[in-house]
Amino acid sequence: MTPDAPTWGEMEKFLQADGWTRLPPSSRGGSGQRHIFFEKLLDSGELLQTYISHSRRGGPSPGRFGVILREQLEVSRAQFWEALSSGEPVGRPAAVEAEQPVEHEAWVIAVLVGELHMTAEEIAVLNVQRARQLVLDYWSRPTAP
């Protein structure tokens, strides 16, 4: 069994195992940037690009991780974790998993849209627990007198 999403450190280890090239800071906005950028040129000529946070402890939400797998890394969850454990690159083209929509409860959606003004795209990358926590945090904020 694997976790729902890796840490940024695990993401970096995957990128190294899968043969991605780390781009120099100057190629994406200077040395003060908050992310580390990578790219991989596939045999087909397609150029994949992704980035990770400088912080190696945190990581993407499970929903965001799914988007990264499909749209940036172009690998399945199983291929990601296998490459991470084996240290071997993923063969491409890889079987990318279809997007699994997250089923948020109506009351959660109502608060995220109506009170927190989140877009459908922002909500789509949240897992159920994170979405509920945002609502609970909003409800727990002190109100002005």
Side-chain angles (χ1 to χ4, degrees), residues 104 108 112 123 126-136:
H104 295 295
V108 172
L112 294 176
I123 295 169
L126 298 174
N127 66 28
V128 171
Q129 295 81 14
R130 179 67 180 136
R132 284 183 183 170
Q133 190 61 53
L134 286 172
V135 171
L136 295 175

Side-chain angles (χ1 to χ4, degrees), residues 22-140:
R22 182 177 175 166
L23 300 176
S26 61
S27 67
R28 291 283 199 154
S31 61
Q33 66 189 4
R34 297 169 44 176
H35 299 98
I36 303 168
F37 292 85
F38 295 84
E39 65 183 21
K40 179 177 177 114
L41 183 61
L42 301 180
D43 291 339
S44 66
E46 180 182 4
L47 182 65
L48 303 180
Q49 296 178 321
T50 193
Y51 61 91
I52 63 169
S53 172
H54 277 287
S55 168
R56 302 306 194 279
R57 289 175 296 208
S61 70
R64 180 71 185 137
F65 179 52
V67 172
I68 292 168
L69 289 171
R70 275 190 314 280
E71 297 180 8
Q72 296 175 14
L73 306 181
E74 295 189 8
V75 298
S76 69
R77 284 181 196 271
Q79 290 167 318
F80 176 90
W81 293 110
E82 177 59 30
L84 187 61
S85 79
S86 72
E88 296 294 322
V90 175
R92 301 244 182 13
V96 179
E97 297 168 358
E99 184 174 355
Q100 299 295 321
V102 177
E103 298 280 336
H104 295 295
E105 296 171 280
W107 64 272
V108 172
I109 297 290
V111 174
L112 294 176
V113 171
E115 302 298 326
L116 297 176
H117 309 288
M118 293 181 73
T119 66
E121 293 79 20
E122 291 170 323
I123 295 169
V125 298
L126 298 174
N127 66 28
V128 171
Q129 295 81 14
R130 179 67 180 136
R132 284 183 183 170
Q133 190 61 53
L134 286 172
V135 171
L136 295 175
D137 290 347
Y138 173 75
W139 284 345
S140 298

Side-chain angles (χ1 to χ4, degrees), residues 3-31:
D4 289 333
T7 64
W8 292 119
E10 290 171 321
M11 288 282 295
E12 184 173 28
K13 287 178 185 172
F14 166 83
L15 296 171
Q16 291 168 347
D18 196 41
W20 290 67
T21 302
R22 182 177 175 166
L23 300 176
S26 61
S27 67
R28 291 283 199 154
S31 61

